[in-house]
Coordinates of all heavy atoms in Angstrom, one line a residue:
M165 N 183.9 170.4 -101.2 CA 182.5 170.8 -101.4 C 182.1 171.6 -100.2 O 181.5 171.1 -99.2 CB 181.7 169.6 -101.4 CG 181.9 168.7 -102.7 SD 180.8 167.3 -102.7 CE 180.6 167.1 -104.3
P166 N 182.4 172.8 -100.1 CA 182.1 173.6 -98.9 C 180.5 173.7 -98.7 O 180.1 173.7 -97.5 CB 182.6 175.0 -99.1 CG 183.3 175.0 -100.5 CD 183.2 173.6 -101.1
H167 N 179.7 173.8 -99.8 CA 178.3 174.0 -99.6 C 177.7 172.6 -98.9 O 176.8 172.7 -98.0 CB 177.5 174.1 -100.9 CG 177.7 173.1 -101.9 ND1 178.9 172.8 -102.6 CD2 176.9 172.1 -102.2 CE1 178.7 171.8 -103.3 NE2 177.6 171.3 -103.2
L168 N 178.3 171.4 -99.2 CA 178.0 170.2 -98.5 C 178.2 170.2 -97.1 O 177.4 169.8 -96.2 CB 178.5 169.0 -99.3 CG 178.2 167.6 -98.8 CD1 176.6 167.4 -98.8 CD2 178.8 166.6 -99.6
R169 N 179.5 170.6 -96.8 CA 179.9 170.6 -95.4 C 179.0 171.6 -94.6 O 178.6 171.3 -93.4 CB 181.4 171.0 -95.2 CG 182.3 169.8 -95.6 CD 183.6 170.2 -95.2 NE 184.6 169.6 -96.2 CZ 185.1 170.2 -97.2 NH1 185.1 171.5 -97.2 NH2 185.9 169.5 -98.0
E170 N 178.7 172.7 -95.1 CA 177.8 173.8 -94.4 C 176.4 173.1 -94.2 O 175.9 173.4 -93.1 CB 177.7 175.0 -95.2 CG 176.9 176.1 -94.6 CD 177.3 176.5 -93.4 OE1 178.5 176.5 -93.0 OE2 176.4 177.1 -92.6
A171 N 175.9 172.5 -95.2 CA 174.5 171.8 -95.0 C 174.6 170.8 -93.9 O 173.6 170.7 -93.0 CB 174.0 171.3 -96.3
Q172 N 175.6 169.9 -93.9 CA 175.7 168.9 -92.9 C 175.9 169.6 -91.6 O 175.3 169.2 -90.6 CB 176.9 168.1 -93.2 CG 176.7 167.1 -94.3 CD 178.0 166.4 -94.8 OE1 179.0 166.8 -94.6 NE2 177.7 165.3 -95.5
R173 N 176.7 170.7 -91.4 CA 176.9 171.4 -90.1 C 175.5 171.9 -89.6 O 175.3 171.8 -88.4 CB 177.9 172.5 -90.3 CG 178.2 173.1 -89.0 CD 179.1 174.3 -89.1 NE 178.5 175.5 -89.9 CZ 177.6 176.2 -89.3 NH1 177.2 176.1 -88.1 NH2 177.0 177.2 -90.1
R174 N 174.7 172.4 -90.4 CA 173.4 172.8 -90.0 C 172.4 171.8 -89.8 O 171.2 172.0 -89.2 CB 172.9 173.8 -91.1 CG 173.6 175.2 -91.1 CD 173.1 176.1 -92.1 NE 173.1 175.3 -93.3 CZ 172.5 175.6 -94.5 NH1 171.7 176.6 -94.5 NH2 172.7 174.9 -95.5
G175 N 172.6 170.7 -90.3 CA 171.8 169.5 -90.2 C 170.7 169.6 -91.2 O 169.7 168.8 -91.2
A176 N 171.0 170.3 -92.2 CA 170.0 170.4 -93.4 C 170.4 169.4 -94.5 O 171.5 169.0 -94.5 CB 170.1 171.9 -93.9
E177 N 169.4 169.2 -95.2 CA 169.7 168.3 -96.4 C 170.6 169.0 -97.4 O 170.3 170.2 -97.7 CB 168.4 168.1 -97.1 CG 167.5 166.9 -96.5 CD 168.2 165.6 -96.4 OE1 168.8 165.1 -97.4 OE2 168.2 165.1 -95.3
P178 N 171.6 168.4 -97.9 CA 172.5 169.1 -98.9 C 171.8 169.2 -100.2 O 170.8 168.4 -100.6 CB 173.7 168.0 -98.9 CG 173.1 166.8 -98.5 CD 172.1 167.1 -97.5
P179 N 172.1 170.2 -100.9 CA 171.5 170.5 -102.2 C 171.7 169.3 -103.2 O 172.8 168.8 -103.2 CB 172.1 171.7 -102.8 CG 173.3 171.9 -102.0 CD 173.1 171.3 -100.7
A180 N 170.7 168.9 -104.0 CA 170.9 167.9 -105.0 C 171.8 168.4 -106.1 O 171.9 169.5 -106.4 CB 169.6 167.6 -105.6
P181 N 172.7 167.5 -106.5 CA 173.7 167.9 -107.6 C 172.9 168.3 -108.8 O 171.9 167.8 -109.1 CB 174.6 166.6 -107.7 CG 174.3 165.8 -106.6 CD 173.0 166.2 -106.1
S182 N 173.5 169.3 -109.5 CA 172.7 169.8 -110.7 C 172.8 168.7 -111.8 O 173.8 168.0 -111.9 CB 173.5 171.1 -111.2 OG 174.8 170.8 -111.5
G183 N 171.8 168.6 -112.5 CA 171.7 167.7 -113.6 C 171.2 166.3 -113.2 O 171.1 165.4 -113.9
M184 N 170.9 166.2 -111.9 CA 170.4 164.9 -111.4 C 168.9 164.8 -111.5 O 168.1 165.8 -111.3 CB 170.8 164.6 -110.0 CG 172.3 164.6 -109.8 SD 173.2 163.6 -110.9 CE 173.4 162.1 -109.8
G185 N 168.3 163.6 -111.7 CA 166.9 163.5 -111.9 C 166.1 163.5 -110.5 O 166.8 163.5 -109.5
D186 N 164.8 163.4 -110.6 CA 164.1 163.4 -109.4 C 164.2 162.1 -108.5 O 164.1 162.1 -107.3 CB 162.5 163.4 -109.7 CG 162.1 164.7 -110.2 OD1 162.8 165.7 -109.9 OD2 161.1 164.8 -111.0
A187 N 164.7 161.1 -109.2 CA 164.9 159.8 -108.4 C 166.0 159.9 -107.5 O 166.0 159.4 -106.3 CB 165.1 158.6 -109.4
V188 N 167.0 160.7 -107.9 CA 168.1 161.0 -106.9 C 167.8 161.8 -105.9 O 168.2 161.6 -104.6 CB 169.3 161.5 -107.8 CG1 170.5 161.8 -106.9 CG2 169.8 160.4 -108.8
A189 N 167.0 162.8 -106.1 CA 166.5 163.8 -105.1 C 165.7 163.2 -104.0 O 165.7 163.7 -102.8 CB 165.8 165.0 -105.7
E190 N 165.0 162.0 -104.3 CA 164.2 161.4 -103.3 C 165.0 160.6 -102.3 O 164.4 160.2 -101.2 CB 163.2 160.5 -103.9 CG 162.1 161.2 -104.7 CD 161.3 160.2 -105.6 OE1 161.3 159.1 -105.3 OE2 160.5 160.8 -106.4
R191 N 166.3 160.2 -102.7 CA 167.0 159.3 -101.7 C 167.7 160.2 -100.7 O 168.0 161.4 -100.8 CB 168.3 158.7 -102.5 CG 167.8 158.1 -103.8 CD 167.2 156.7 -103.7 NE 168.3 155.8 -103.1 CZ 168.0 154.6 -102.8 NH1 166.8 154.1 -103.0 NH2 168.9 153.8 -102.4
K192 N 167.9 159.7 -99.5 CA 168.5 160.3 -98.3 C 170.0 160.0 -98.3 O 170.4 158.8 -98.5 CB 167.8 160.0 -97.0 CG 166.4 160.3 -97.0 CD 166.3 161.9 -96.6 CE 164.9 162.1 -96.4 NZ 164.7 163.6 -96.0
S193 N 170.7 160.8 -97.9 CA 172.2 160.7 -97.7 C 172.4 160.5 -96.2 O 171.7 161.0 -95.4 CB 173.0 161.9 -98.0 OG 173.0 162.0 -99.5
L194 N 173.4 159.5 -95.9 CA 173.7 159.2 -94.4 C 175.2 158.9 -94.3 O 175.8 158.2 -95.2 CB 172.9 157.9 -94.0 CG 173.2 157.4 -92.8 CD1 172.7 158.2 -91.7 CD2 172.6 156.0 -92.7
L195 N 175.8 159.6 -93.4 CA 177.2 159.4 -93.1 C 177.1 158.2 -92.1 O 176.7 158.4 -91.0 CB 177.8 160.7 -92.4 CG 179.2 160.5 -92.0 CD1 180.2 160.1 -93.1 CD2 179.7 161.8 -91.4
L196 N 177.8 157.2 -92.4 CA 177.8 156.1 -91.4 C 179.3 155.7 -91.0 O 180.1 155.4 -92.0 CB 177.2 154.8 -92.2 CG 177.1 153.5 -91.5 CD1 176.2 153.6 -90.2 CD2 176.5 152.5 -92.4
R197 N 179.5 155.7 -89.8 CA 180.8 155.3 -89.3 C 180.9 153.8 -88.9 O 180.1 153.4 -88.2 CB 181.2 156.1 -88.1 CG 181.2 157.6 -88.5 CD 181.6 158.4 -87.2 NE 181.3 159.8 -87.3 CZ 181.9 160.7 -88.0 NH1 183.1 160.4 -88.6 NH2 181.6 162.0 -88.1
L198 N 181.9 153.2 -89.5 CA 181.9 151.7 -89.3 C 183.2 151.3 -89.0 O 184.2 151.9 -89.3 CB 181.5 150.9 -90.6 CG 180.2 151.0 -91.2 CD1 180.1 150.2 -92.6 CD2 179.2 150.4 -90.1
D199 N 183.4 150.3 -88.0 CA 184.6 149.6 -87.8 C 185.3 149.2 -89.2 O 184.5 148.6 -90.0 CB 184.4 148.4 -86.9 CG 185.7 147.7 -86.5 OD1 186.3 147.0 -87.4 OD2 186.2 147.9 -85.4
P200 N 186.4 149.5 -89.4 CA 187.1 149.0 -90.7 C 186.8 147.6 -91.1 O 186.7 147.2 -92.3 CB 188.6 149.4 -90.6 CG 188.6 150.4 -89.5 CD 187.4 150.1 -88.6
A201 N 186.8 146.7 -90.2 CA 186.8 145.3 -90.5 C 185.3 144.9 -90.8 O 185.1 144.0 -91.6 CB 187.1 144.4 -89.1
V202 N 184.4 145.6 -90.2 CA 182.9 145.5 -90.6 C 182.8 145.9 -92.0 O 182.1 145.3 -92.8 CB 181.9 146.3 -89.5 CG1 180.6 146.2 -90.1 CG2 182.1 145.6 -88.3
H203 N 183.3 147.1 -92.3 CA 183.2 147.6 -93.6 C 183.8 146.7 -94.6 O 183.2 146.5 -95.8 CB 184.0 149.1 -93.8 CG 183.8 149.6 -95.2 ND1 184.7 149.3 -96.1 CD2 182.9 150.4 -95.7 CE1 184.4 150.0 -97.2 NE2 183.3 150.6 -97.0
D204 N 185.0 146.2 -94.4 CA 185.6 145.2 -95.2 C 184.8 144.0 -95.5 O 184.6 143.5 -96.6 CB 187.0 144.8 -94.8 CG 188.0 146.0 -94.8 OD1 187.7 147.0 -95.5 OD2 189.1 145.8 -94.2
A205 N 184.1 143.5 -94.5 CA 183.4 142.3 -94.6 C 182.1 142.6 -95.4 O 181.7 141.8 -96.3 CB 182.9 141.8 -93.1
V206 N 181.4 143.7 -95.2 CA 180.3 144.1 -96.0 C 180.7 144.3 -97.4 O 180.0 143.9 -98.4 CB 179.6 145.3 -95.4 CG1 178.5 145.9 -96.4 CG2 178.9 145.1 -94.0
A207 N 181.8 144.9 -97.7 CA 182.3 145.2 -99.0 C 182.5 143.8 -99.8 O 182.3 143.8 -101.0 CB 183.5 146.1 -99.0
R208 N 183.1 142.9 -99.1 CA 183.4 141.6 -99.7 C 182.1 140.9 -100.0 O 181.9 140.3 -101.0 CB 184.2 140.7 -98.8 CG 185.7 141.1 -98.8 CD 186.6 140.0 -98.1 NE 186.2 139.7 -96.8 CZ 186.5 140.4 -95.8 NH1 187.4 141.4 -95.8 NH2 186.0 140.1 -94.5
W209 N 181.2 140.9 -99.1 CA 179.8 140.3 -99.3 C 179.1 141.1 -100.4 O 178.5 140.4 -101.4 CB 179.1 140.5 -98.0 CG 177.7 139.7 -97.9 CD1 177.2 138.8 -98.8 CD2 176.8 139.8 -96.9 NE1 176.0 138.4 -98.4 CE2 175.6 138.8 -97.2 CE3 176.7 140.5 -95.6 CZ2 174.6 138.6 -96.4 CZ3 175.7 140.2 -94.8 CH2 174.6 139.3 -95.2
A210 N 179.3 142.3 -100.6 CA 178.6 143.0 -101.7 C 179.2 142.6 -103.0 O 178.5 142.4 -104.0 CB 178.7 144.5 -101.4
A211 N 180.5 142.5 -103.1 CA 181.2 142.0 -104.3 C 180.8 140.7 -104.7 O 180.6 140.4 -105.9 CB 182.7 142.1 -104.1
D212 N 180.6 139.8 -103.8 CA 180.2 138.4 -103.9 C 178.8 138.3 -104.6 O 178.5 137.4 -105.4 CB 180.1 137.5 -102.7 CG 181.5 137.3 -102.1 OD1 182.5 137.5 -102.9 OD2 181.5 136.8 -100.9
E213 N 178.0 139.4 -104.3 CA 176.6 139.5 -104.8 C 176.5 140.5 -105.8 O 175.3 140.8 -106.2 CB 175.6 139.6 -103.6 CG 175.6 138.5 -102.5 CD 174.6 138.6 -101.6 OE1 173.6 139.4 -101.7 OE2 174.6 137.8 -100.7
L214 N 177.4 140.9 -106.4 CA 177.6 142.0 -107.5 C 176.8 143.2 -107.2 O 176.0 143.7 -108.0 CB 177.1 141.4 -108.8 CG 177.9 140.0 -109.2 CD1 177.3 139.5 -110.5 CD2 179.3 140.4 -109.5
R215 N 176.9 143.7 -105.9 CA 176.2 144.9 -105.6 C 177.4 145.9 -105.2 O 178.4 145.4 -104.8 CB 175.3 144.7 -104.3 CG 174.1 143.9 -104.4 CD 173.2 144.0 -103.3 NE 172.0 143.3 -103.4 CZ 171.7 142.0 -102.9 NH1 172.6 141.5 -102.0 NH2 170.6 141.4 -103.2
S216 N 176.9 147.2 -105.0 CA 177.9 148.1 -104.4 C 177.8 148.0 -102.8 O 176.8 147.4 -102.4 CB 177.5 149.6 -104.8 OG 176.2 149.8 -104.2
T217 N 178.8 148.4 -102.2 CA 178.7 148.4 -100.7 C 177.5 149.2 -100.3 O 176.8 148.7 -99.3 CB 179.9 149.0 -100.1 OG1 181.1 148.2 -100.6 CG2 180.0 148.9 -98.6
N218 N 177.1 150.3 -100.8 CA 175.9 151.1 -100.4 C 174.7 150.3 -100.6 O 173.8 150.2 -99.7 CB 176.0 152.4 -101.2 CG 174.9 153.3 -100.7 OD1 175.0 153.9 -99.6 ND2 173.7 153.5 -101.4
A219 N 174.5 149.6 -101.8 CA 173.4 148.8 -102.0 C 173.2 147.6 -101.1 O 172.2 147.2 -100.6 CB 173.4 148.3 -103.5
Q220 N 174.4 147.1 -100.8 CA 174.4 145.9 -99.7 C 173.9 146.4 -98.4 O 173.1 145.7 -97.8 CB 175.8 145.3 -99.6 CG 175.9 144.1 -98.9 CD 175.1 142.9 -99.5 OE1 174.9 142.8 -100.6 NE2 175.0 141.8 -98.7
I221 N 174.4 147.4 -98.0 CA 173.9 148.0 -96.7 C 172.4 148.3 -96.7 O 171.7 147.9 -95.9 CB 174.7 149.3 -96.2 CG1 176.2 148.9 -96.0 CG2 174.1 150.0 -95.2 CD1 177.1 150.0 -95.9
E222 N 171.9 148.9 -97.8 CA 170.6 149.1 -98.0 C 169.7 147.8 -98.0 O 168.8 147.7 -97.3 CB 170.2 150.0 -99.1 CG 168.7 150.3 -99.3 CD 168.2 151.2 -100.3 OE1 169.2 151.7 -101.0 OE2 167.1 151.5 -100.4
F223 N 170.2 146.8 -98.6 CA 169.6 145.6 -98.7 C 169.5 144.9 -97.3 O 168.4 144.5 -96.9 CB 170.4 144.6 -99.7 CG 169.9 143.2 -99.6 CD1 168.8 142.8 -100.4 CD2 170.7 142.2 -98.8 CE1 168.4 141.4 -100.3 CE2 170.3 140.9 -98.9 CZ 169.1 140.5 -99.6
L224 N 170.6 145.0 -96.6 CA 170.6 144.4 -95.2 C 169.7 145.1 -94.3 O 168.9 144.6 -93.4 CB 172.1 144.4 -94.6 CG 173.0 143.4 -95.4 CD1 174.4 143.7 -95.0 CD2 172.6 142.0 -95.3
L225 N 169.6 146.5 -94.4 CA 168.7 147.3 -93.5 C 167.3 146.9 -93.9 O 166.4 146.7 -92.9 CB 169.0 148.7 -93.7 CG 170.1 149.3 -93.1 CD1 170.6 150.7 -93.5 CD2 170.1 149.2 -91.5
R226 N 167.0 146.9 -95.1 CA 165.6 146.6 -95.5 C 165.2 145.2 -95.0 O 164.0 144.9 -94.5 CB 165.4 146.7 -97.1 CG 165.4 148.0 -97.6 CD 165.4 147.9 -99.1 NE 165.3 149.3 -99.7 CZ 164.1 149.7 -100.4 NH1 163.1 149.0 -100.4 NH2 164.3 150.9 -100.7
R227 N 166.1 144.3 -95.1 CA 165.7 142.9 -94.7 C 165.6 142.8 -93.2 O 164.6 142.2 -92.7 CB 166.9 141.9 -95.2 CG 166.5 140.4 -94.8 CD 167.4 139.5 -95.4 NE 168.7 139.6 -94.8 CZ 169.8 138.9 -95.1 NH1 169.6 137.9 -96.0 NH2 171.0 138.9 -94.5
A228 N 166.4 143.5 -92.4 CA 166.2 143.6 -91.0 C 165.0 144.3 -90.5 O 164.3 143.7 -89.7 CB 167.5 144.3 -90.4
L229 N 164.6 145.4 -91.2 CA 163.4 146.0 -90.9 C 162.1 145.1 -91.2 O 161.2 145.1 -90.5 CB 163.2 147.3 -91.7 CG 164.1 148.4 -91.3 CD1 164.1 149.6 -92.3 CD2 163.5 149.0 -89.9
S230 N 162.3 144.4 -92.4 CA 161.2 143.6 -92.7 C 160.9 142.3 -91.8 O 159.8 142.0 -91.3 CB 161.4 142.9 -94.2 OG 160.4 142.1 -94.6
Q231 N 162.1 141.8 -91.3 CA 162.0 140.6 -90.3 C 161.5 141.1 -89.0 O 160.9 140.3 -88.3 CB 163.4 140.0 -90.2 CG 163.8 139.2 -91.4 CD 165.3 138.8 -91.4 OE1 166.0 139.1 -90.6 NE2 165.6 137.8 -92.3
A232 N 161.8 142.3 -88.7 CA 161.3 142.9 -87.4 C 159.9 143.5 -87.5 O 159.4 143.9 -86.5 CB 162.2 144.0 -86.9
G233 N 159.3 143.4 -88.6 CA 158.0 143.9 -88.9 C 157.9 145.4 -88.9 O 156.9 146.0 -88.6
R234 N 159.0 146.1 -89.2 CA 159.1 147.5 -89.1 C 159.4 148.3 -90.5 O 159.5 149.5 -90.5 CB 160.2 147.9 -88.2 CG 159.9 147.5 -86.7 CD 161.0 148.0 -85.9 NE 160.7 147.8 -84.4 CZ 160.2 148.7 -83.6 NH1 160.0 150.0 -84.1 NH2 160.0 148.5 -82.5
L235 N 159.3 147.4 -91.6 CA 159.5 148.1 -92.9 C 158.2 148.8 -93.3 O 157.1 148.0 -93.3 CB 159.8 147.0 -93.9 CG 160.2 147.5 -95.3 CD1 161.5 148.3 -95.3 CD2 160.3 146.3 -96.2
P236 N 158.1 150.1 -93.5 CA 157.0 150.7 -93.9 C 156.3 150.1 -95.2 O 157.0 149.7 -96.1 CB 157.3 152.2 -94.1 CG 158.6 152.2 -93.3 CD 159.2 150.9 -93.4
R237 N 154.9 150.1 -95.3 CA 154.3 149.5 -96.5 C 154.5 150.4 -97.7 O 154.4 150.0 -98.8 CB 152.8 149.4 -96.2 CG 152.6 148.4 -95.3 CD 151.1 148.1 -95.2 NE 150.8 147.1 -94.2 CZ 150.1 147.2 -93.2 NH1 149.6 148.3 -92.7 NH2 149.9 146.1 -92.3
T238 N 154.9 151.8 -97.5 CA 155.1 152.6 -98.6 C 156.5 152.6 -99.2 O 156.8 153.2 -100.2 CB 155.0 154.2 -98.1 OG1 155.9 154.3 -97.0 CG2 153.5 154.3 -97.5
V239 N 157.4 151.7 -98.6 CA 158.7 151.5 -99.1 C 158.6 150.9 -100.5 O 158.1 149.7 -100.5 CB 159.6 150.9 -98.2 CG1 161.0 150.6 -98.8 CG2 159.8 151.7 -96.9
G240 N 159.2 151.4 -101.5 CA 159.2 150.8 -102.8 C 160.4 149.7 -102.9 O 161.3 149.7 -102.0
A241 N 160.4 149.0 -104.0 CA 161.5 148.1 -104.2 C 162.8 148.7 -104.4 O 162.8 149.9 -104.9 CB 161.2 147.1 -105.3
I242 N 163.8 148.0 -104.2 CA 165.2 148.6 -104.5 C 165.3 148.6 -106.0 O 165.1 147.6 -106.7 CB 166.3 147.8 -103.8 CG1 166.1 147.8 -102.4 CG2 167.7 148.2 -104.3 CD1 167.2 146.8 -101.7
P243 N 165.7 149.8 -106.5 CA 165.9 149.8 -108.0 C 166.9 148.9 -108.5 O 168.0 148.7 -107.8 CB 166.3 151.3 -108.2 CG 166.1 152.1 -107.0 CD 166.0 151.0 -105.9
R244 N 166.8 148.0 -109.5 CA 167.7 147.1 -110.0 C 168.6 147.9 -110.9 O 168.2 148.8 -111.6 CB 167.0 146.0 -110.8 CG 166.0 145.3 -109.8 CD 165.6 143.9 -110.5 NE 166.7 143.0 -111.0 CZ 167.3 142.2 -110.1 NH1 166.8 142.0 -108.9 NH2 168.2 141.4 -110.6
P245 N 170.0 147.5 -110.8 CA 170.9 148.2 -111.7 C 170.9 147.7 -113.1 O 170.2 146.7 -113.4 CB 172.3 147.7 -111.1 CG 172.0 146.4 -110.6 CD 170.5 146.6 -110.0
G246 N 171.4 148.5 -114.0 CA 171.3 148.2 -115.5 C 170.1 148.7 -116.1 O 169.3 149.5 -115.6
R247 N 170.0 148.3 -117.4 CA 168.9 148.7 -118.2 C 167.6 147.9 -117.8 O 167.7 146.8 -117.5 CB 169.2 148.4 -119.6 CG 170.4 149.2 -120.2 CD 170.8 148.7 -121.5 NE 169.7 148.9 -122.5 CZ 170.0 148.6 -123.7 NH1 171.0 148.2 -124.3 NH2 168.9 148.9 -124.6
P248 N 166.5 148.6 -117.9 CA 165.2 148.0 -117.6 C 164.9 146.8 -118.8 O 165.4 147.0 -119.8 CB 164.3 149.1 -117.7 CG 164.8 150.3 -118.0 CD 166.3 150.0 -118.2
K249 N 164.2 145.9 -118.3 CA 163.9 144.9 -119.2 C 162.9 145.3 -120.4 O 162.1 146.3 -120.1 CB 163.1 143.7 -118.4 CG 164.1 142.9 -117.6 CD 163.4 141.7 -117.0 CE 164.4 140.9 -116.1 NZ 163.8 139.7 -115.6
A250 N 163.1 144.8 -121.6 CA 162.4 145.3 -122.7 C 160.9 144.8 -122.5 O 160.6 143.7 -122.0 CB 162.9 144.8 -123.9
D251 N 160.0 145.7 -122.8 CA 158.6 145.5 -122.9 C 158.3 144.6 -124.2 O 158.7 144.9 -125.3 CB 157.8 146.7 -123.0 CG 156.3 146.5 -122.8 OD1 155.8 145.3 -122.7 OD2 155.6 147.6 -122.7
P252 N 157.7 143.3 -124.0 CA 157.4 142.4 -125.2 C 156.6 143.2 -126.3 O 156.8 143.0 -127.4 CB 156.7 141.3 -124.6 CG 156.9 141.4 -123.1 CD 157.3 142.8 -122.8
E253 N 155.8 144.2 -125.9 CA 155.0 144.9 -126.9 C 155.8 145.8 -127.7 O 155.5 146.1 -128.9 CB 153.9 145.7 -126.2 CG 152.8 144.8 -125.4 CD 151.8 145.5 -124.7 OE1 151.8 146.8 -124.9 OE2 151.0 145.0 -124.1
D254 N 157.0 146.2 -127.2 CA 157.8 147.1 -127.9 C 158.9 146.3 -128.8 O 159.7 146.9 -129.6 CB 158.7 148.0 -127.0 CG 157.7 148.9 -126.3 OD1 156.7 149.3 -126.7 OD2 158.3 149.5 -125.1
A255 N 158.8 145.0 -128.8 CA 159.8 144.2 -129.7 C 159.5 144.4 -131.1 O 158.3 144.5 -131.5 CB 159.7 142.7 -129.2
P256 N 160.5 144.4 -131.9 CA 160.3 144.6 -133.4 C 159.6 143.3 -134.0 O 159.8 142.2 -133.6 CB 161.7 144.8 -133.9 CG 162.7 144.4 -132.9 CD 161.9 144.4 -131.6
D257 N 158.8 143.6 -134.8 CA 158.1 142.5 -135.7 C 159.0 141.8 -136.6 O 159.7 142.6 -137.4 CB 156.9 142.9 -136.4 CG 155.7 143.5 -135.4 OD1 155.7 142.8 -134.2 OD2 155.1 144.4 -135.7
D258 N 159.1 140.5 -136.7 CA 160.0 139.9 -137.6 C 159.3 139.3 -138.6 O 158.2 138.7 -138.6 CB 160.9 138.7 -136.9 CG 161.9 139.4 -136.0 OD1 162.4 140.5 -136.2 OD2 162.3 138.7 -134.9

């Protein structure tokens, strides 16, 4: 992905992949260098909680920010994976 590397070299935001919705465009990308043992521990923890490693890292960062009183009020909830719950009003009549 030469365009991605070029954007990273300049410090600019890489272009959003084509065909992706606005929700993806709002997310920030971050290259994070971790000790392999730390990464393995986080990956195992994520698997135990049925999360991706990325979602686990975001969960931990949000919790740390909240506990430190530094989580901005404008931060929304972490999107839940899977299909949204059905609206009871949309349920078929039996």
Side-chain angles (χ1 to χ4, degrees):
M165 298 180 147
H167 64 283
L168 180 58
R169 283 191 215 106
E170 178 63 22
Q172 289 172 337
R173 185 184 65 74
R174 289 179 301 167
E177 285 294 314
S182 60
M184 302 303 264
D186 291 335
V188 173
E190 294 176 11
R191 311 278 297 174
K192 296 284 187 173
S193 296
L194 171 70
L195 175 63
L196 180 62
R197 299 179 198 280
L198 294 174
D199 181 284
V202 171
H203 179 272
D204 291 345
V206 171
R208 281 191 307 274
W209 190 1
D212 290 346
E213 298 193 9
L214 303 176
R215 290 189 181 108
S216 67
T217 302
N218 189 71
Q220 186 70 12
I221 291 169
E222 182 172 1
F223 171 80
L224 295 170
L225 286 171
R226 284 172 178 253
R227 186 168 69 180
L229 286 168
S230 179
Q231 289 174 349
R234 294 179 171 265
L235 186 66
R237 289 187 179 115
T238 58
V239 172
I242 296 176
R244 298 195 55 89
R247 296 172 60 178
K249 291 187 178 183
D251 187 358
E253 293 178 8
D254 293 340
D257 293 326
D258 290 332

